Amino acid sequence: MNNITRTAMITICGRPNVGKSSLTNALVGEKIAIVSDKPQTTRNRIYGVVNREDTQFVLLDTPGLHKPRSRLGDYMVKVVRESLEQVEAALLLVEPIAHVGEPEKILLQRIQEEHLPCVLCINKIDTVEKKDDLLEVIAAYSAVYPGFDAIIPISARTGDGLDDLMAQLQTYAAEGPQLFPDGMTTDQPDAQVCAEIVREKMLLCLDKEIPHGTAVEVTRFTEREDTGIIDLDVTIYCEKASHKGIIIGKHGDMLKRISSLARRDIEKFMGAKVYMETWVKVKENWRDNVNFIRARGYDEQ
């Protein structure tokens, strides 16, 4: 039982594919946000909850800031902007590249507008061969934005630097009540986490644009009283009939692979045996269909 008397809400922001979800998962200690090597994996704002000593940290994992090409993209950018409101601090996550790009400049401007303290986190330091390369990254960002509270090199993959990061985030904690109960690591409903895990496996298994044109909905989520087994019905929506064929694959092999990989992770997350049935349906241009994306939880209101 934690005696929580302090809270800190921290937004983790950055361009696509810098490791925001990997960092959130590493700090929380379990997988609550899906991860892939494809940009724009995260579509919504996800809370990750970490209790340490007397403090509850609420980490806001956000979509990568990018140039939107659909109504869904517009929504994702809006989520990023709004996630920098009413938090204690911002964590700007970047790769170890000695160049400050447009997404980073836009985010830093927004952070400045909100008068937020900002920590620069340089991720993927396990890929840096020479220390001088890291110093060049620090110099490039310091020249553009001299107001960082701290600059902390980390590796979300290996865990290097995460203790230093948490110590820095502790300085933003304020007296306040516990926001999430003990044992709760995310604000996402279990069914939503399961849907996201299925989407992650499509990002892993499918090439190019196809997985970005998919949405996943859990239409049935029930637990059997006698055994605790969870039954899931999952619908995958795609934009073209040709994409449906690729997702299903020859003799259904691709869909079986996606479902099998997803079920394994869902069982780990739920701590229970899972039976899952999966269907694929075509919904043309769903990313520009306002009613559809709202019904999937991407609400612009």
Side-chain angles (χ1 to χ4, degrees):
M1 181 76 177
N2 294 289
N3 183 26
I4 301 296
T5 58
R6 299 165 66 80
T7 58
M9 293 190 73
I10 314 289
T11 292
I12 301 176
C13 57
R15 68 166 63 217
N17 219 27
V18 292
K20 296 180 295 296
S21 295
S22 295
L23 176 58
T24 302
N25 291 339
L27 294 176
V28 170
E30 70 175 63
K31 183 173 188 167
I32 61 158
I34 66 171
V35 176
S36 87
D37 59 2
K38 295 183 173 70
Q40 299 165 41
T41 297
T42 302
R43 289 176 175 169
N44 216 332
R45 188 254 332 121
I46 297 167
Y47 285 164
V49 182
V50 182
N51 291 339
R52 294 211 176 176
E53 298 177 356
D54 66 346
T55 303
Q56 183 167 84
F57 298 89
V58 182
L59 309 172
L60 282 69
D61 179 18
T62 61
L65 188 65
H66 65 287
K67 189 172 182 179
R69 294 184 175 87
S70 65
R71 293 299 291 268
L72 177 63
D74 291 338
Y75 166 80
M76 289 160 66
V77 170
K78 184 169 179 278
V79 166
V80 179
R81 291 185 61 83
E82 290 182 349
S83 71
L84 290 166
E85 299 171 1
Q86 299 178 328
V87 293
E88 272 70 54
L91 188 163
L92 178 63
L93 195 65
V94 303
E95 293 185 306
I97 299 169
H99 171 73
V100 184
E102 198 60 29
E104 288 81 15
K105 289 176 182 175
I106 292 169
L107 286 166
L108 286 168
Q109 182 181 348
R110 181 84 178 107
I111 288 164
Q112 202 164 19
E113 288 168 359
E114 291 291 335
H115 306 291
L116 284 175
C118 182
V119 176
L120 177 67
C121 241
I122 305 169
N123 192 20
K124 306 182 184 180
I125 58 167
D126 50 305
T127 65
V128 176
E129 292 181 5
K130 294 183 292 184
K131 190 176 179 181
D132 286 351
D133 294 343
L134 205 52
L135 295 176
E136 288 177 15
V137 179
I138 293 170
Y141 275 92
S142 298
V144 170
Y145 190 84
F148 290 114
D149 272 20
I151 298 175
I152 304 175
I154 67 158
S155 169
R157 189 179 69 82
T158 66
D160 285 356
L162 297 191
D163 287 341
D164 292 340
L165 175 58
M166 290 303 292
Q168 178 62 35
L169 298 185
Q170 178 70 51
T171 66
Y172 305 119
E175 296 288 333
Q178 184 168 338
L179 300 175
F180 293 91
D182 290 348
M184 189 170 178
T185 55
T186 180
D187 65 325
Q188 292 188 100
D190 289 344
Q192 180 62 25
V193 176
C194 294
E196 284 289 275
I197 289 172
V198 174
R199 194 165 66 82
E200 177 189 63
K201 302 314 173 189
M202 287 193 289
L203 285 161
L204 173 69
C205 296
L206 298 169
D207 289 333
K208 299 177 184 175
E209 179 61 18
I210 292 172
H212 289 300
T214 60
V216 180
E217 181 180 21
V218 173
T219 54
R220 180 169 71 116
F221 184 105
T222 57
E223 185 175 346
R224 302 182 198 177
E225 288 185 15
D226 52 341
T227 61
I229 291 171
I230 293 167
D231 291 298
L232 293 182
D233 287 352
V234 176
T235 301
I236 296 169
Y237 297 95
C238 61
E239 293 183 309
K240 298 177 181 177
S242 59
H243 290 180
K244 178 179 177 178
I246 293 168
I247 294 167
I248 293 172
K250 191 175 181 181
H251 307 304
D253 287 350
M254 180 57 74
L255 188 58
K256 285 175 189 171
R257 184 184 174 205
I258 291 165
S259 299
S260 178
L261 290 170
R263 185 174 49 77
R264 197 180 309 159
D265 274 14
I266 291 168
E267 288 182 337
K268 197 181 298 180
F269 173 74
M270 296 300 304
K273 181 80 175 168
V274 171
Y275 284 104
M276 187 168 82
E277 290 198 53
T278 314
W279 290 268
V280 184
K281 295 182 179 179
V282 177
K283 182 75 176 176
E284 293 184 2
N285 300 318
W286 69 263
R287 281 180 286 184
D288 281 313
N289 183 323
V290 174
N291 291 331
F292 185 85
I293 65 173
R294 283 180 181 166
R296 307 284 87 69
Y298 309 119
D299 193 344
E300 296 177 298
Q301 298 303 315

